[in-house]
Amino acid sequence: MSTANTNSEANDEHQSCCPLEVTLPGETPLTDKAASELEDLFKILANDTRLKLLHNLALAREMCVCDLADSLGMKPQAVSNQLQRLSDRGIVATRRVGNNIYYRVVDTCIIDLLHKAVCLLRDAEDTREGVVSLASLK
Amino acid sequence: MSTANTNSEANDEHQSCCPLEVTLPGETPLTDKAASELEDLFKILANDTRLKLLHNLALAREMCVCDLADSLGMKPQAVSNQLQRLSDRGIVATRRVGNNIYYRVVDTCIIDLLHKAVCLLRDAEDTREGVVSLASLK
DNA sequence: ACACAATTACACTGGTCTGTGTAATAATGT
DNA sequence: ACATTATTACACAGACCAGTGTAATTGTGT
């Protein structure tokens, strides 16, 4: 009820993806239910096939199963398999055009999370490679 | 090289967690390597025990294994098991104090991602419940 | 040196997941 | 109707994973 403004973190001055603070002050520990839901959320993203599918669909607004299968170099069955998991969670939706069934992303949050994760990975690589200005404290 | 400035997204005006656009224009499709790394990243988060551990550690800067085990209501072995996975990925680090070994989070990105995911879940629930202002386009 | 506590190492078991192969379903064109 | 294409349904096999139980390791105090 009226969960309006929770913008208590106005210092979002990160040039990269990662924040500088590790703690989460003022939050309550994760409930079992929340942890389980989070697990499901991350689990659906913890598969390279589904990640590629989502990324493909995020780039091209709509794609049918066979095109996605071609793009990934996989068999339609396997692709359909994973697409259905994504569909079950309401992440993607379908639209039929003749014989083909076109999939599209409807859950913007997932893509945002994916986008963020990509950014974090890029950060991690940058840090691991050259930017050792802060990481050189052995 | 010199992957310096990639701050081409200045329109971060989201009140909630979710962006309004689904597509990711201007990006290249996910490479196999990137997809695999992303999978690993999400896989490490796709477990309620590890999520609770990370959240506990993010709330209290440092905790030893037995305290974490008590907090989760689990056996030390199981907790140590998961802590080691987190340690292998460089997400947490240890510090010995007498008999006890204290764990702490060192990968801020993971916590940031976790924080974001929690926010997204909250958004999803809000949307599912009452806030149907934009979702009512059937 | 010895008993004790905290943590980890290791083998093991039950469960889950992914891609495959085959068959079924749905729509198209002749 | 029939053949064809696209997609899905389903059972299955291999791999991976989480928690358990036991044993080993490490540090403490006497």
Side-chain angles (χ1 to χ4, degrees), chain A residues 3 17-19 22-24 27-28 32-33 37 39 48 52 55 58-59 105 108-109 112 115-116 120 125, chain B residues 17-19 22-24 27-28 32-33 37 39 48 52 55 58-59 108-109 112 115-116 120 125-126:
Chain A
T3 65
C17 294
C18 298
V22 182
T23 56
L24 300 173
E27 292 211 5
T28 58
D32 285 358
K33 178 169 169 291
E37 289 178 358
E39 175 183 346
D48 61 339
K52 290 181 198 167
H55 208 260
L59 289 173
V105 178
T108 63
C109 302
D112 192 37
H115 194 210
K116 181 115 193 167
L120 295 191
E125 274 183 6
Chain B
C17 293
C18 299
V22 182
T23 56
L24 300 173
E27 291 212 4
T28 58
D32 284 358
K33 178 170 169 293
E37 288 177 358
E39 176 184 344
D48 61 338
K52 290 181 198 168
H55 208 261
L59 290 174
T108 63
C109 302
D112 192 37
H115 193 209
K116 181 115 192 166
L120 294 192
E125 275 184 6
D126 289 351

Side-chain angles (χ1 to χ4, degrees), chain B residues 14-43:
Chain B
H14 50 74
Q15 61 172 17
S16 72
C17 293
C18 299
L20 293 179
E21 54 180 347
V22 182
T23 56
L24 300 173
E27 291 212 4
T28 58
L30 226 49
T31 64
D32 284 358
K33 178 170 169 293
S36 179
E37 288 177 358
L38 266 183
E39 176 184 344
D40 289 342
L41 172 64
F42 284 123
K43 201 170 273 181

